[in-house]
Amino acid sequence: MKRQVSVTIFGASGYTGAGLYSLCLRHPGVHIAALSADRHAGERLSAVFPRMAGLTDRVMVSVEEAVEQATEVAFLCLPHEAAMAVVPRLLDKGCRVFDLSADFRMDTPDSYAAWYKVQHTAPELLAAKVYGLPEFHRERIREARLVAVPGCYPTSVQIGLAPLLKHRLIDPRTIIVDAKSGVSGAGRKLSQRTHYVETNENIAPYNVGRSHRHVGEIEQELSKFAGEAVRVVFSPHLTPMNQGILSTMYVDLTQPLGTSELLDLFRSEYAGERFVRVLPHLPETAFVQNTNYADVSVHVVPDTGRAIILCAIDNLVKGAYGQALQCMNIACGFDEGCGLPV
Ligand SMILES: NC(=O)c1ccc[n+]([C@@H]2O[C@H](COP(=O)([O-])OP(=O)(O)OC[C@H]3O[C@@H](n4cnc5c(N)ncnc54)[C@H](OP(=O)(O)O)[C@@H]3O)[C@@H](O)[C@H]2O)c1
């Protein structure tokens, strides 16, 4: 390893920030400059996450102090709105920014306002950002100053559908996505919806149709692969597991292709991609838990002209902090898999 980069993690007391910190501890090219928290500012990370006792005695500082201390690389593991409040200042300081929030994923201020119901406070940066899905944007990530790390559901959906849309093998008006997520997808802050009693022994659909915020990002990015406007039907579900996403996608084929031909296409599209595994069998969340893998498979349903594509990821890892670290590795010249769990 040639050098170390100085990294600041904003939102270290949350699920994605703490997970990222754990990876950074083992990354030979990373020096941690500062960790931030909001309600927990001034506390030790090991007090907030007792599993870290003995691993670190770092004290988290306020966002303001962390901005002061940030130098080379900043990871933002903050809620949307909080992220865009600090990104311009970090960029002005010369930091390379990897934002895990949704604040810079949309391409225009109007689409951001439409899906997030708030006006963007740094709209000029939306066009300058690079969308951080390495399997499709690796070369631009290399040069990026601001990387918008994709959402968890959008990561799974794009890995599942991009090969078929690029080759015009599916009718883009027929996409239905049925997705299940673990409860950590909602973050660590308490809410009635994610209370143990509400989630245990339960599968709860929510925001079905086109109302989930991730639909905007999914449609925006799928439209680029398709070369035309894509609309999806998207039904997310909260499931009683800590981590994991399984997206099951139903599409109409434009050609009479079989399962083995489509699996060959996926293998060829993802050849050399170490974090995408094209499986001949059905993906499951347990196979990817705590890893940066996206497991994908495709199955043609005989006599229907339809195919089912399944993609499993860990929402916190490939769906968030693992993908962010993968982007940082690319941008800072490290081996792309450095520090990433497989
Ligand atoms: N969870 C996932 O699966 C997932 C996947 C992809 C993307 N993301 C995105 O990643 C970001 C972080 O998610 P998470 O699940 O890690 O959330 P989380 O567990 O709720 O953690 C949020 C972090 O941000 C801090 N924070 C909260 N409000 C703040 C504010 N107004 N100003 C400054 N800091 C504030 C919190 O500090 P305190 O703890 O001290 O309050 C905490 O450190 C979100 O934008 C989320 O949408 C999450």
Side-chain angles (χ1 to χ4, degrees):
M1 193 64 56
K2 290 192 286 287
R3 66 185 188 102
Q4 286 214 318
V5 291
S6 171
V7 163
T8 300
I9 301 175
F10 290 81
S13 55
Y15 285 145
T16 60
L20 180 62
Y21 178 70
S22 295
L23 295 191
C24 285
L25 278 181
R26 290 185 285 272
H27 192 301
V30 165
H31 159 77
I32 307 283
L35 306 176
S36 92
D38 187 34
R39 292 167 303 145
H40 295 292
E43 295 178 36
R44 289 186 196 284
L45 185 59
S46 57
V48 178
F49 289 100
R51 67 182 158 84
M52 298 218 183
L55 283 177
T56 176
D57 57 1
R58 294 296 289 244
V59 173
M60 296 173 288
V61 299
S62 69
V63 167
E64 282 308 312
E65 288 171 272
V67 170
E68 288 301 313
Q69 292 171 35
T71 53
E72 276 184 280
V73 166
F75 287 104
L76 300 193
C77 305
L78 304 178
H80 69 280
E81 294 191 70
M84 66 184 169
V86 291
V87 164
R89 290 159 66 198
L90 292 167
L91 291 172
D92 284 348
K93 291 189 71 178
C95 289
R96 297 183 91 164
V97 176
F98 300 84
D99 178 20
L100 282 74
S101 87
D103 276 346
F104 294 91
R105 294 182 198 150
M106 303 308 295
D107 287 345
T108 66
D110 286 349
S111 55
Y112 181 80
W115 289 101
Y116 288 88
K117 311 297 179 211
V118 61
Q119 292 303 313
H120 209 287
T121 56
E124 68 286 356
L125 293 175
L126 289 172
K129 62 96 195 317
V130 172
Y131 188 71
L133 192 55
E135 287 72 16
F136 298 104
H137 305 289
R138 186 169 285 111
E139 292 314 312
R140 292 198 62 217
I141 293 168
R142 242 181 259 294
E143 305 301 325
R145 306 302 307 174
L146 170 59
V147 173
V149 181
C152 44
Y153 285 127
T155 294
S156 65
V157 172
Q158 288 174 76
I159 287 174
L161 294 179
L164 299 169
L165 287 168
K166 278 167 67 179
H167 292 274
R168 300 189 175 273
L169 294 177
I170 58 177
D171 180 343
R173 293 162 303 183
T174 65
I175 298 168
I176 296 174
V177 181
D178 177 288
K180 284 104 186 164
S181 173
V183 182
S184 62
R188 198 167 194 233
K189 204 169 173 187
L190 299 178
S191 72
Q192 182 170 324
R193 178 69 278 186
T194 56
H195 193 295
Y196 180 82
V197 178
E198 310 284 328
T199 55
N200 188 41
E201 302 286 349
N202 190 22
I203 295 186
Y206 65 106
N207 292 347
V208 299
R210 284 187 71 245
S211 53
H212 192 284
R213 284 166 169 165
H214 282 177
V215 170
E217 180 184 346
I218 289 170
E219 293 183 345
Q220 170 185 288
E221 297 304 315
L222 291 187
S223 298
K224 295 173 188 170
F225 293 117
E228 62 182 287
V230 171
R231 291 283 172 272
V232 299
V233 173
F234 180 71
S235 296
H237 300 73
L238 197 60
T239 63
M241 57 183 177
N242 290 349
Q243 292 168 232
I245 281 183
L246 179 68
S247 288
T248 306
M249 297 162 262
Y250 305 87
V251 294
D252 284 8
L253 295 168
T254 55
Q255 297 176 32
L257 295 164
T259 296
S260 62
E261 290 164 288
L262 291 185
L263 280 172
D264 282 346
L265 172 82
F266 273 72
R267 288 191 192 101
S268 136
E269 283 290 313
Y270 290 118
E273 292 297 344
R274 65 174 98 171
F275 294 115
V276 179
R277 300 191 294 196
V278 179
L279 306 181
H281 53 267
L282 301 177
E284 297 182 21
T285 55
F287 304 158
V288 295
Q289 195 175 45
N290 289 312
T291 79
N292 199 50
Y293 285 126
D295 279 1
V296 64
S297 194
V298 54
H299 296 267
V300 173
V301 187
D303 304 323
T304 64
R306 296 201 182 108
I308 303 173
I309 304 98
L310 301 107
C311 183
I313 60 170
D314 186 318
N315 57 294
L316 291 178
V317 189
K318 184 61 175 166
Y321 65 78
Q323 185 135 271
L325 190 62
Q326 190 181 351
C327 289
M328 191 280 278
N329 283 337
I330 294 166
C332 294
F334 298 117
D335 178 83
E336 189 168 326
C338 195
L340 284 166
V342 289

mmCIF file of all heavy atoms in Angstrom, residues 165-190:
data_model
loop_
_atom_site.group_PDB
_atom_site.id
_atom_site.type_symbol
_atom_site.label_atom_id
_atom_site.label_comp_id
_atom_site.label_asym_id
_atom_site.label_seq_id
_atom_site.Cartn_x
_atom_site.Cartn_y
_atom_site.Cartn_z
ATOM 1 N N LEU A 165 -32.001 -4.237 -19.871
ATOM 2 C CA LEU A 165 -32.403 -2.965 -20.491
ATOM 3 C C LEU A 165 -31.377 -2.513 -21.529
ATOM 4 O O LEU A 165 -31.743 -2.038 -22.608
ATOM 5 C CB LEU A 165 -32.575 -1.887 -19.419
ATOM 6 C CG LEU A 165 -33.829 -2.034 -18.547
ATOM 7 C CD1 LEU A 165 -33.754 -1.098 -17.340
ATOM 8 C CD2 LEU A 165 -35.106 -1.762 -19.358
ATOM 9 N N LYS A 166 -30.113 -2.660 -21.205
ATOM 10 C CA LYS A 166 -29.059 -2.240 -22.154
ATOM 11 C C LYS A 166 -29.191 -2.974 -23.485
ATOM 12 O O LYS A 166 -28.935 -2.413 -24.544
ATOM 13 C CB LYS A 166 -27.673 -2.533 -21.561
ATOM 14 C CG LYS A 166 -27.180 -1.475 -20.597
ATOM 15 C CD LYS A 166 -25.977 -1.923 -19.804
ATOM 16 C CE LYS A 166 -24.728 -2.122 -20.638
ATOM 17 N NZ LYS A 166 -23.577 -2.551 -19.788
ATOM 18 N N HIS A 167 -29.569 -4.240 -23.421
ATOM 19 C CA HIS A 167 -29.675 -5.049 -24.647
ATOM 20 C C HIS A 167 -31.105 -5.093 -25.184
ATOM 21 O O HIS A 167 -31.398 -5.889 -26.073
ATOM 22 C CB HIS A 167 -29.136 -6.459 -24.384
ATOM 23 C CG HIS A 167 -27.655 -6.466 -24.153
ATOM 24 N ND1 HIS A 167 -26.742 -6.540 -25.177
ATOM 25 C CD2 HIS A 167 -26.928 -6.351 -23.024
ATOM 26 C CE1 HIS A 167 -25.508 -6.496 -24.683
ATOM 27 N NE2 HIS A 167 -25.599 -6.380 -23.369
ATOM 28 N N ARG A 168 -31.957 -4.262 -24.636
ATOM 29 C CA ARG A 168 -33.348 -4.137 -25.091
ATOM 30 C C ARG A 168 -34.072 -5.486 -25.135
ATOM 31 O O ARG A 168 -34.827 -5.788 -26.064
ATOM 32 C CB ARG A 168 -33.409 -3.446 -26.464
ATOM 33 C CG ARG A 168 -32.808 -2.043 -26.415
ATOM 34 C CD ARG A 168 -33.027 -1.254 -27.676
ATOM 35 N NE ARG A 168 -32.530 0.111 -27.525
ATOM 36 C CZ ARG A 168 -33.218 1.126 -27.024
ATOM 37 N NH1 ARG A 168 -34.464 0.935 -26.639
ATOM 38 N NH2 ARG A 168 -32.700 2.314 -26.907
ATOM 39 N N LEU A 169 -33.833 -6.278 -24.112
ATOM 40 C CA LEU A 169 -34.432 -7.613 -24.069
ATOM 41 C C LEU A 169 -35.720 -7.641 -23.261
ATOM 42 O O LEU A 169 -36.385 -8.678 -23.198
ATOM 43 C CB LEU A 169 -33.422 -8.621 -23.490
ATOM 44 C CG LEU A 169 -32.189 -8.833 -24.372
ATOM 45 C CD1 LEU A 169 -31.200 -9.779 -23.689
ATOM 46 C CD2 LEU A 169 -32.600 -9.398 -25.741
ATOM 47 N N ILE A 170 -36.054 -6.509 -22.624
ATOM 48 C CA ILE A 170 -37.315 -6.459 -21.885
ATOM 49 C C ILE A 170 -38.084 -5.200 -22.266
ATOM 50 O O ILE A 170 -37.500 -4.197 -22.661
ATOM 51 C CB ILE A 170 -37.100 -6.512 -20.350
ATOM 52 C CG1 ILE A 170 -36.200 -5.353 -19.868
ATOM 53 C CG2 ILE A 170 -36.521 -7.846 -19.942
ATOM 54 C CD1 ILE A 170 -36.025 -5.317 -18.361
ATOM 55 N N ASP A 171 -39.382 -5.295 -22.118
ATOM 56 C CA ASP A 171 -40.244 -4.139 -22.379
ATOM 57 C C ASP A 171 -40.191 -3.243 -21.137
ATOM 58 O O ASP A 171 -40.660 -3.650 -20.061
ATOM 59 C CB ASP A 171 -41.672 -4.641 -22.635
ATOM 60 C CG ASP A 171 -42.635 -3.498 -22.913
ATOM 61 O OD1 ASP A 171 -42.297 -2.332 -22.608
ATOM 62 O OD2 ASP A 171 -43.729 -3.781 -23.426
ATOM 63 N N PRO A 172 -39.608 -2.031 -21.252
ATOM 64 C CA PRO A 172 -39.417 -1.199 -20.057
ATOM 65 C C PRO A 172 -40.710 -0.715 -19.417
ATOM 66 O O PRO A 172 -40.692 -0.157 -18.331
ATOM 67 C CB PRO A 172 -38.576 -0.020 -20.568
ATOM 68 C CG PRO A 172 -38.736 -0.006 -22.036
ATOM 69 C CD PRO A 172 -39.090 -1.400 -22.479
ATOM 70 N N ARG A 173 -41.867 -0.927 -20.102
ATOM 71 C CA ARG A 173 -43.149 -0.514 -19.494
ATOM 72 C C ARG A 173 -43.738 -1.605 -18.605
ATOM 73 O O ARG A 173 -44.814 -1.430 -18.034
ATOM 74 C CB ARG A 173 -44.154 -0.173 -20.589
ATOM 75 C CG ARG A 173 -43.778 1.063 -21.387
ATOM 76 C CD ARG A 173 -44.519 1.103 -22.690
ATOM 77 N NE ARG A 173 -44.257 -0.117 -23.457
ATOM 78 C CZ ARG A 173 -44.719 -0.365 -24.671
ATOM 79 N NH1 ARG A 173 -45.506 0.488 -25.265
ATOM 80 N NH2 ARG A 173 -44.417 -1.493 -25.285
ATOM 81 N N THR A 174 -43.056 -2.757 -18.521
ATOM 82 C CA THR A 174 -43.672 -3.889 -17.817
ATOM 83 C C THR A 174 -42.968 -4.272 -16.525
ATOM 84 O O THR A 174 -43.239 -5.330 -15.965
ATOM 85 C CB THR A 174 -43.674 -5.122 -18.739
ATOM 86 O OG1 THR A 174 -42.301 -5.521 -18.990
ATOM 87 C CG2 THR A 174 -44.381 -4.850 -20.045
ATOM 88 N N ILE A 175 -42.093 -3.411 -16.024
ATOM 89 C CA ILE A 175 -41.267 -3.811 -14.869
ATOM 90 C C ILE A 175 -42.064 -3.713 -13.557
ATOM 91 O O ILE A 175 -42.600 -2.655 -13.219
ATOM 92 C CB ILE A 175 -40.014 -2.911 -14.772
ATOM 93 C CG1 ILE A 175 -39.149 -3.075 -16.026
ATOM 94 C CG2 ILE A 175 -39.219 -3.230 -13.518
ATOM 95 C CD1 ILE A 175 -38.043 -2.023 -16.149
ATOM 96 N N ILE A 176 -42.088 -4.825 -12.851
ATOM 97 C CA ILE A 176 -42.689 -4.848 -11.509
ATOM 98 C C ILE A 176 -41.612 -5.338 -10.545
ATOM 99 O O ILE A 176 -40.991 -6.379 -10.776
ATOM 100 C CB ILE A 176 -43.903 -5.800 -11.456
ATOM 101 C CG1 ILE A 176 -45.005 -5.286 -12.392
ATOM 102 C CG2 ILE A 176 -44.421 -5.949 -10.028
ATOM 103 C CD1 ILE A 176 -46.192 -6.230 -12.532
ATOM 104 N N VAL A 177 -41.373 -4.555 -9.487
ATOM 105 C CA VAL A 177 -40.351 -4.921 -8.498
ATOM 106 C C VAL A 177 -41.038 -5.153 -7.165
ATOM 107 O O VAL A 177 -41.731 -4.271 -6.647
ATOM 108 C CB VAL A 177 -39.285 -3.812 -8.328
ATOM 109 C CG1 VAL A 177 -38.228 -4.245 -7.320
ATOM 110 C CG2 VAL A 177 -38.654 -3.446 -9.667
ATOM 111 N N ASP A 178 -40.848 -6.351 -6.639
ATOM 112 C CA ASP A 178 -41.356 -6.690 -5.315
ATOM 113 C C ASP A 178 -40.113 -6.852 -4.437
ATOM 114 O O ASP A 178 -39.289 -7.720 -4.701
ATOM 115 C CB ASP A 178 -42.135 -8.010 -5.413
ATOM 116 C CG ASP A 178 -42.639 -8.482 -4.075
ATOM 117 O OD1 ASP A 178 -41.814 -8.931 -3.257
ATOM 118 O OD2 ASP A 178 -43.842 -8.440 -3.847
ATOM 119 N N ALA A 179 -39.958 -5.979 -3.449
ATOM 120 C CA ALA A 179 -38.696 -5.962 -2.707
ATOM 121 C C ALA A 179 -38.931 -6.115 -1.211
ATOM 122 O O ALA A 179 -39.933 -5.635 -0.677
ATOM 123 C CB ALA A 179 -37.956 -4.655 -2.987
ATOM 124 N N LYS A 180 -37.997 -6.817 -0.569
ATOM 125 C CA LYS A 180 -38.080 -7.008 0.887
ATOM 126 C C LYS A 180 -36.811 -6.478 1.522
ATOM 127 O O LYS A 180 -35.719 -6.757 1.031
ATOM 128 C CB LYS A 180 -38.207 -8.491 1.240
ATOM 129 C CG LYS A 180 -39.581 -9.072 1.005
ATOM 130 C CD LYS A 180 -39.591 -9.895 -0.234
ATOM 131 C CE LYS A 180 -41.008 -10.358 -0.553
ATOM 132 N NZ LYS A 180 -41.096 -10.836 -1.954
ATOM 133 N N SER A 181 -36.965 -5.787 2.624
ATOM 134 C CA SER A 181 -35.789 -5.221 3.305
ATOM 135 C C SER A 181 -35.774 -5.589 4.775
ATOM 136 O O SER A 181 -36.824 -5.710 5.415
ATOM 137 C CB SER A 181 -35.804 -3.694 3.190
ATOM 138 O OG SER A 181 -34.759 -3.132 3.970
ATOM 139 N N GLY A 182 -34.571 -5.706 5.319
ATOM 140 C CA GLY A 182 -34.401 -5.834 6.761
ATOM 141 C C GLY A 182 -34.629 -4.495 7.443
ATOM 142 O O GLY A 182 -34.611 -3.429 6.806
ATOM 143 N N VAL A 183 -34.798 -4.535 8.755
ATOM 144 C CA VAL A 183 -35.230 -3.345 9.500
ATOM 145 C C VAL A 183 -34.119 -2.295 9.620
ATOM 146 O O VAL A 183 -34.398 -1.102 9.752
ATOM 147 C CB VAL A 183 -35.757 -3.773 10.893
ATOM 148 C CG1 VAL A 183 -36.270 -2.578 11.672
ATOM 149 C CG2 VAL A 183 -36.873 -4.797 10.740
ATOM 150 N N SER A 184 -32.861 -2.696 9.521
ATOM 151 C CA SER A 184 -31.775 -1.709 9.611
ATOM 152 C C SER A 184 -31.839 -0.698 8.472
ATOM 153 O O SER A 184 -31.217 0.364 8.557
ATOM 154 C CB SER A 184 -30.410 -2.401 9.615
ATOM 155 O OG SER A 184 -30.222 -3.105 8.400
ATOM 156 N N GLY A 185 -32.581 -1.018 7.424
ATOM 157 C CA GLY A 185 -32.742 -0.087 6.311
ATOM 158 C C GLY A 185 -33.329 1.239 6.748
ATOM 159 O O GLY A 185 -33.145 2.262 6.085
ATOM 160 N N ALA A 186 -34.030 1.250 7.874
ATOM 161 C CA ALA A 186 -34.658 2.490 8.353
ATOM 162 C C ALA A 186 -33.742 3.281 9.283
ATOM 163 O O ALA A 186 -34.147 4.319 9.819
ATOM 164 C CB ALA A 186 -35.960 2.162 9.075
ATOM 165 N N GLY A 187 -32.511 2.806 9.489
ATOM 166 C CA GLY A 187 -31.596 3.528 10.368
ATOM 167 C C GLY A 187 -31.824 3.179 11.834
ATOM 168 O O GLY A 187 -32.749 2.433 12.186
ATOM 169 N N ARG A 188 -30.977 3.755 12.708
ATOM 170 C CA ARG A 188 -30.975 3.350 14.117
ATOM 171 C C ARG A 188 -31.953 4.143 14.971
ATOM 172 O O ARG A 188 -32.320 3.712 16.072
ATOM 173 C CB ARG A 188 -29.562 3.531 14.684
ATOM 174 C CG ARG A 188 -29.356 2.750 15.958
ATOM 175 C CD ARG A 188 -27.903 2.679 16.342
ATOM 176 N NE ARG A 188 -27.683 1.676 17.370
ATOM 177 C CZ ARG A 188 -27.068 1.902 18.522
ATOM 178 N NH1 ARG A 188 -26.596 3.086 18.799
ATOM 179 N NH2 ARG A 188 -26.916 0.939 19.408
ATOM 180 N N LYS A 189 -32.365 5.286 14.463
ATOM 181 C CA LYS A 189 -33.294 6.123 15.246
ATOM 182 C C LYS A 189 -34.594 5.356 15.494
ATOM 183 O O LYS A 189 -35.099 4.684 14.583
ATOM 184 C CB LYS A 189 -33.579 7.400 14.466
ATOM 185 C CG LYS A 189 -34.016 8.543 15.305
ATOM 186 C CD LYS A 189 -34.027 9.828 14.495
ATOM 187 C CE LYS A 189 -34.633 10.938 15.315
ATOM 188 N NZ LYS A 189 -34.815 12.143 14.519
ATOM 189 N N LEU A 190 -35.130 5.481 16.693
ATOM 190 C CA LEU A 190 -36.310 4.694 17.047
ATOM 191 C C LEU A 190 -37.571 5.235 16.383
ATOM 192 O O LEU A 190 -37.739 6.428 16.205
ATOM 193 C CB LEU A 190 -36.501 4.721 18.563
ATOM 194 C CG LEU A 190 -35.350 4.131 19.371
ATOM 195 C CD1 LEU A 190 -35.636 4.264 20.865
ATOM 196 C CD2 LEU A 190 -35.117 2.676 19.006
#
